[in-house]
Amino acid sequence: MNQNVQQTETSRDDTARLTPLLEVRGLGKAFGGVHAVDDLSFRILPGEVYAVIGPNGAGKTTLFNLITGLYQPDQGEISLKGEAVQGLPPERLARLGMSRTFQNLQICMNMTALENVMLGRHLHLKRNFLAALLRWPSLRASERTCRAQAEELIRFVGCGDYVDADAAAMPYGALKRLEIARALATQPSILLLDEPAAGLNSTETAALEQLIRKVAAGGITVVLVEHDMKLVMSISDRVLVLDYGRKLAEGTPREIRDNPDVIAAYLGG
Amino acid sequence: MALRLPERVPGLPVLALVLLLLPLFLGNEFHLDIATQIALIAATVVGLNLLVGYGGQVSLGHAAFFGMGAYASAILTGTYGWTSIPALLCGALLVAVLAWTLGRPILRLKGHYLSMATLGMGIIIAIVINNEGWLTGGPDGLAVEPLTVLGAELSIFDHYSLLGLEVSGAMLWYGLAALLLLLAVWIAQNLVDSPIGRALRAVHGSEVAARVVGVDTSHYKLLIFVISAVYASVMGSFYAHYTGFITPQVASFEHSIELITMVVLGGMASTYGVILGAVLLMLLPQLLTDFQDYEMMMFGLILMLTMIFMPKGLLPTLSEAVRRLRPRPATTPASGQE
């Protein structure tokens, strides 16, 4: 969680100079005749907090699903750390340091909070089949470490009360944060949050904002889709505005707020 | 630690104790015979539960693997004169290869489609066993040689001296079946408690969540399909040696349904629950000998009633009820405080 700590100055010159962590070029995906994402290009720099906003149906979640390998793109390229990754399945992308959360929670309700986060450590654990079958000491030691790390992460996201609780018994707000803990457990270099504040009250949203700041301060690049404009404008370094699957605008929160196209799209002008 | 009955209770020593003391309460050789058969089938179901209960993948054709193990042992020891253990291992290897080959395309399917595919697979294997009479004896069945271990023959009709004690072959067989069940439970629980088991349960809980944290879900589904098939094959081999005579019934669709009913009744994803399921459903035909013709109907009814009234199965439902009766310990986190 402490790689590529970089101060991001968000002026245009710097953007051009730094190598992007994630680059999307000419990305397209259609469902039937509907272009959910259409010829979309942007770059995300290491260490920045990058928000994707847009009206409902603008293609934000489709974009996330394309980037994280749940959907196959029709056209275009996606590169992560300079490596072409479009079309790779999510389990391969996880190895390359990508992790995400979901708009409609994807929590394993048949497991405890702790086990959900321990699952996030999957790639970092010994997974020797014979060792598992015979419960070798080395495996038990690595499980103990894993448990301790998972507990720490659960406390980090503010769910310390629920370490041993069954996920199915946890309230919605805590599950949202638990999902972030699980994503962090993979030690990602880039974390995609799909509407992390959806369904949260203002206190919970404020706590979430602090959490995202802490995550970003740890050097993890954060990409988020979010409808809560206050949250977006306050934590984002740059914002991408989508409308009908295309890029409507991109820039700092201030630039976006003053952009007439954006205002028109949002107010239906 | 949250209180979690019964998986977090030291279940294995308790099970061992029960199996050790059980012969004291069994009146005669007939009871011992039933107990031995139950232990062998229970071990099979513990393996099936890894696939169905923990992995969330339905197999309606598991008796086919059981039957293949049984027939591999019967044919290799009988027709070809092999000793028991190499025959058993060869059968298990054969089943593993077959499960792996069939599992790759089948496990891409989900829900009902997966059920139908495994059902078809089971029926095809049963038909082959039924029709290839030159090899399997066909519907008439096949006599099986007694189990031989290190050159010694273990027959239920003989008596043996063990540490100076005279022990019947039937009692030795019971001991062997009990050990096999304990081993099956130990291995299953090791697997469930490992990162592999966690990945597997995650496939059941949320496959997409498992994938985004790097779990190669198709790999784990296939792995557990092969493991549960090998469990069935090995137990089928022992079952064949124990009963001394097998018919295509062991590989039949009806037997597959019995096995899956044990899992569902006892409690999916509860190792001791499914053992309880096996015990109950194996005892049932003994208690209802007058209604033998209606056995499949009874299984169907039990399956339906379980799904309606306790979808989690017997043991998880019971342990939840017990937990609710007990006063809540102060240390558990109060839910809903958000």
Side-chain angles (χ1 to χ4, degrees), chain A residues 70 89-91 94 106 110 115 118-119 122-123 125 127 129 132-133 135 143 161-162 166 169 171 177 182 204, chain B residues 1 4 186-187 190-191 193-195 198-199 201-202 205-206 208-209 211-212 214-215 220 227 333 335 337-338:
Chain A
L70 292 175
E91 57 269 25
Q106 291 291 342
N110 55 339
E115 287 169 332
M118 286 172 81
L119 175 70
H122 182 78
L123 289 174
L125 293 175
R127 301 186 301 277
F129 177 59
L133 227 51
R135 205 186 290 253
E143 280 288 280
D161 286 347
Y162 298 104
D166 284 323
R177 273 176 284 147
R182 183 182 65 204
E204 289 171 328
Chain B
M1 281 272 48
R4 313 197 96 215
W186 184 68
I187 288 179
N190 287 352
L191 209 56
D193 283 342
S194 75
R198 196 157 51 232
R201 284 152 66 211
S206 165
V208 66
R211 293 183 71 193
V212 298
V215 176
Y220 283 100
I227 291 171
S335 48
Q337 76 177 118
E338 277 288 296

Side-chain angles (χ1 to χ4, degrees), chain B residues 81-112:
Chain B
W82 290 32
T83 51
S84 302
I85 300 300
L88 176 148
L89 293 176
C90 184
L93 187 69
L94 218 73
V95 163
V97 170
L98 185 77
W100 190 80
T101 317
L102 292 176
R104 273 169 65 97
I106 284 180
L107 291 166
R108 287 169 195 272
L109 305 172
K110 288 184 166 59
H112 304 309

Side-chain angles (χ1 to χ4, degrees), chain B residues 190-247:
Chain B
N190 287 352
L191 209 56
V192 168
D193 283 342
S194 75
I196 294 175
R198 196 157 51 232
L200 201 64
R201 284 152 66 211
V203 169
H204 193 181
S206 165
E207 188 162 346
V208 66
R211 293 183 71 193
V212 298
V213 297
V215 176
D216 183 347
T217 52
S218 25
H219 168 76
Y220 283 100
K221 284 193 231 174
L222 191 58
L223 179 72
I224 207 63
F225 188 62
V226 172
I227 291 171
S228 67
V230 168
Y231 257 87
S233 169
V234 169
M235 292 308 148
S237 291
F238 280 110
Y239 185 85
H241 283 302
Y242 175 67
T243 55
F245 192 83
I246 51 170
T247 66

Side-chain angles (χ1 to χ4, degrees), chain B residues 177-191:
Chain B
L179 276 180
L180 286 171
L181 176 57
L182 288 172
L183 188 68
V185 170
W186 184 68
I187 288 179
Q189 292 197 323
N190 287 352
L191 209 56

Side-chain angles (χ1 to χ4, degrees), chain A residues 29-268:
Chain A
K29 175 78 181 175
F31 296 104
V34 181
H35 292 276
V37 170
D38 194 7
D39 193 24
L40 185 63
S41 303
F42 60 90
R43 322 164 107 196
I44 298 173
L45 304 177
E48 73 177 334
V49 176
Y50 190 89
V52 181
I53 64 171
N56 279 323
K60 304 181 297 291
T61 294
T62 303
L63 174 63
F64 261 34
N65 287 346
L66 287 168
I67 294 175
T68 55
L70 292 175
Y71 291 164
Q72 301 281 319
D74 296 335
Q75 300 102 35
E77 288 157 48
I78 304 169
S79 58
L80 180 63
K81 299 170 190 166
E83 199 177 324
V85 295
Q86 70 274 9
L88 287 187
E91 57 269 25
R92 289 281 304 283
L93 290 167
R95 284 172 194 272
L96 298 172
M98 186 182 285
S99 195
R100 71 168 288 178
T101 65
F102 294 85
Q103 183 183 345
N104 50 342
L105 292 170
Q106 291 291 342
I107 293 280
C108 299
M109 293 297 180
N110 55 339
M111 293 161 50
T112 64
L114 187 71
E115 287 169 332
N116 266 285
V117 180
M118 286 172 81
L119 175 70
R121 300 288 308 152
H122 182 78
L123 289 174
H124 302 277
L125 293 175
K126 293 187 176 77
R127 301 186 301 277
N128 182 307
F129 177 59
L130 269 181
L133 227 51
L134 305 174
R135 205 186 290 253
W136 278 350
S138 70
L139 187 102
R140 273 148 64 191
S142 110
E143 280 288 280
R144 265 197 301 277
T145 320
C146 171
R147 172 177 293 266
Q149 289 163 331
E151 276 185 30
E152 195 188 318
L153 272 170
I154 291 178
R155 276 193 283 275
F156 177 76
V157 299
C159 289
D161 286 347
Y162 298 104
V163 169
D164 282 312
D166 284 323
M170 290 170 65
Y172 182 79
L175 288 175
K176 282 285 229 197
R177 273 176 284 147
L178 183 68
E179 211 182 15
I180 296 177
R182 183 182 65 204
L184 289 174
T186 65
Q187 290 179 294
S189 42
I190 182 164
L191 172 63
L192 292 90
L193 305 172
D194 195 353
E195 300 205 14
L200 301 188
N201 63 32
S202 56
T203 324
E204 289 171 328
T205 305
L208 176 77
E209 185 178 335
Q210 289 312 309
L211 177 58
I212 295 176
R213 283 188 199 282
K214 275 198 288 180
V215 169
I220 297 172
T221 306
V222 177
V223 188
L224 70 156
V225 161
E226 187 49 65
H227 280 295
D228 187 324
M229 281 308 133
K230 191 164 154 273
L231 177 68
V232 166
M233 294 304 172
S234 131
I235 58 173
S236 310
D237 295 312
R238 285 190 305 142
V239 179
L240 168 71
V241 188
L242 287 185
D243 197 23
Y244 296 107
R246 292 176 152 269
K247 187 198 280 189
L248 187 67
E250 187 186 17
T252 63
R254 174 168 296 281
E255 286 165 347
I256 294 301
R257 209 171 346 207
D258 298 339
N259 187 313
D261 291 341
V262 177
I263 295 167
Y266 266 88
L267 300 181

Side-chain angles (χ1 to χ4, degrees), chain B residues 250-308:
Chain B
V250 291
S252 66
F253 168 61
E254 287 82 0
H255 196 207
S256 289
I257 295 297
E258 280 182 48
L259 295 177
I260 201 94
T261 310
M262 289 167 185
V263 173
V264 174
L265 171 68
M268 285 198 268
S270 159
T271 302
Y272 298 106
V274 301
I275 294 175
L276 182 66
V279 171
L280 292 177
L281 288 186
M282 294 281 287
L283 287 180
L284 192 69
Q286 311 300 330
L287 300 173
L288 300 175
T289 38
D290 293 342
F291 303 101
Q292 208 182 352
D293 295 341
Y294 303 104
E295 199 178 293
M296 277 316 285
M297 264 178 69
M298 292 298 297
F299 281 121
L301 194 65
I302 290 171
L303 203 54
M304 277 169 55
L305 292 176
T306 312
M307 293 316 278
I308 294 170

